[in-house]
Amino acid sequence: MPWHRKHLLTIEELSRAEIEQLLATAGAFRRILDRKVKKVPALRGKTIVNLFLEPSTRTRISFEMAAKLLSADTISFDAAASSTTKGETLRDTAQNIQALNADMIVLRHSASGSPLYLSRVLGIPVINAGDGAHEHPTQALLDVFTMREKLGDLKGRKIVILGDILFSRVARSNIHALTKLGANVTIVGPSTLVPRWFEALGVKVSHNLRSALEDADVVMLLRIQHERQASGHFPSVGEYTGMFGLNKTRAEWIKPDAIIMHPGPINRGVEIDSDLADSPRSVILQQVTNGIAVRMAALYLCAGGQPEHVLAPVE
């Protein structure tokens, strides 16, 4: 099936077939990353602008590396270097970038819906690199890619997402992706951060950590999104860690072969102990590596590439 989407804005709008296409294309690029010559000419002559108006390390570098490995030219802006600090609107900034002959914009922004807005006012592809507490589609794709790499088919697998669900764009995108792929998703944390209305998304809501972790195939930890919380949603970080932090004792409640994930950045000693983050059960660094392949796939497909084409390395 050919790829028809110009933009990658949300996981919610994707069909299961489209998710499978993205993952299959990422699989081809992941194999390329293991070759001696990693660079391919797929986007040679294209210019991709990374417009990151919210702090980022992994996602920004991952998109930059993905674009370079596709032979695209890349230009990166952050909030401090952007004219938005002078009062320029997001629309004007993006339209000026388009007028400078950019071929694609990768946007990270604190406002939910900002990539959708730009997709309606620009004539070039827009990829969402995280918009407020709404969605982070490429993070969910790399998470699912990593799970399938370790577990195979996710149908019927128990996936637990633990932490600040309410303010997490990663959680929302993962919920959409995992439920479409047939996984059984349980979200757990304090009731203030894991409200019951999430059940409408097809997940199980729990506030009991032990029962949630029992028989889990995957445990994904999320940090507390202090920057998005208007007020305190729990008494203290210490109390949160005491009730919901993943430590060696609590890790015994999950399956022996279960994997531990985290989208980063990690707050060691808060949502997860360092020993677990660095343990053989952790796939956190594999997630980072797989993120390059997933973002290569997203850039390639949204630029008009097709999944079935064979990509030759740049000699």
Side-chain angles (χ1 to χ4, degrees):
M1 184 177 84
W3 180 264
H4 294 294
R5 288 190 182 272
K6 181 178 180 179
H7 312 286
L8 178 59
L9 305 175
T10 69
I11 296 295
E12 183 179 12
E13 69 184 351
L14 299 181
S15 66
R16 174 170 181 157
E18 288 173 319
I19 292 172
E20 294 284 3
Q21 271 188 299
L22 274 159
L23 295 175
T25 307
F29 284 122
R30 183 65 185 86
R31 292 187 290 275
I32 288 172
L33 292 180
D34 291 328
R35 300 193 313 203
K36 184 176 181 180
V37 178
K38 300 176 178 63
K39 202 168 187 180
V40 294
L43 297 187
R44 180 180 284 162
K46 301 285 188 180
T47 300
I48 297 172
V49 173
N50 295 315
L51 184 58
F52 276 61
L53 301 180
E54 193 180 46
S56 171
T57 301
R58 278 157 300 280
T59 302
R60 176 173 169 170
I61 293 174
S62 184
F63 267 112
E64 289 176 356
M65 292 188 68
K68 290 180 184 297
L69 291 175
L70 291 167
S71 301
D73 296 316
T74 61
I75 301 171
S76 293
F77 292 89
D78 58 28
S82 167
S83 290
T84 56
T85 60
K86 302 176 183 178
E88 185 175 65
T89 66
L90 175 62
R91 176 175 183 157
D92 285 338
T93 297
Q95 287 183 324
N96 275 278
I97 290 171
Q98 179 177 253
L100 290 167
N101 284 325
D103 296 291
M104 183 182 299
I105 289 180
V106 178
L107 177 68
R108 168 167 286 198
H109 201 283
S110 60
S112 297
S114 49
L116 173 62
Y117 171 69
L118 285 192
S119 74
R120 291 174 174 173
V121 300
L122 298 179
I124 59 176
V126 176
I127 292 182
N128 181 5
D131 61 329
H134 179 223
E135 278 222 37
H136 194 347
T138 58
Q139 180 67 48
L141 290 166
L142 74 88
D143 291 338
V144 169
F145 185 94
T146 305
M147 291 181 209
R148 298 216 309 191
E149 193 175 53
K150 294 294 183 180
L151 304 175
D153 189 2
L154 297 182
K155 185 176 182 178
R157 293 284 195 171
K158 182 178 180 180
I159 315 297
V160 175
I161 305 177
L162 167 58
D164 182 353
I165 308 297
L166 182 61
F167 295 95
S168 175
R169 55 194 173 206
V170 173
R172 283 172 173 78
S173 288
N174 266 285
I175 287 170
H176 291 307
L178 290 166
T179 52
K180 288 178 181 182
L181 294 173
N184 298 322
V185 181
T186 298
I187 57 175
V188 60
S191 59
T192 51
L193 295 177
V194 189
R196 287 286 174 189
W197 55 258
F198 271 101
E199 292 174 344
L201 299 181
V203 303
K204 180 180 178 181
V205 172
S206 174
H207 304 123
N208 184 306
L209 185 58
R210 180 159 195 160
S211 64
L213 292 180
E214 285 178 351
D215 299 323
D217 295 292
V218 177
V219 179
M220 180 184 296
L221 288 306
L222 301 175
R223 70 180 181 88
I224 304 301
Q225 307 277 322
H226 292 292
E227 69 275 18
R228 296 196 182 96
Q229 295 182 11
S231 59
H233 284 71
F234 47 87
S236 68
V237 170
E239 183 164 340
Y240 174 87
T241 301
M243 295 184 67
F244 293 101
L246 188 66
N247 54 34
K248 185 176 180 181
T249 299
R250 291 168 177 165
E252 294 177 358
W253 300 341
I254 62 180
K255 291 180 178 178
D257 58 348
I259 59 174
I260 297 170
M261 307 181 73
H262 198 305
I266 301 171
N267 290 311
R268 292 173 179 262
V270 179
E271 65 266 16
I272 184 171
D273 282 359
S274 283
D275 289 347
L276 290 176
D278 300 328
S279 72
R281 306 175 79 176
S282 168
V283 297
I284 296 171
L285 294 180
Q286 290 95 311
Q287 289 173 261
V288 175
T289 301
N290 289 338
I292 301 172
V294 164
R295 286 164 181 137
M296 289 175 75
L299 293 171
Y300 171 71
L301 292 175
C302 290
Q306 293 303 324
E308 69 273 12
H309 292 173
V310 177
L311 303 175
V314 173
E315 300 297 342

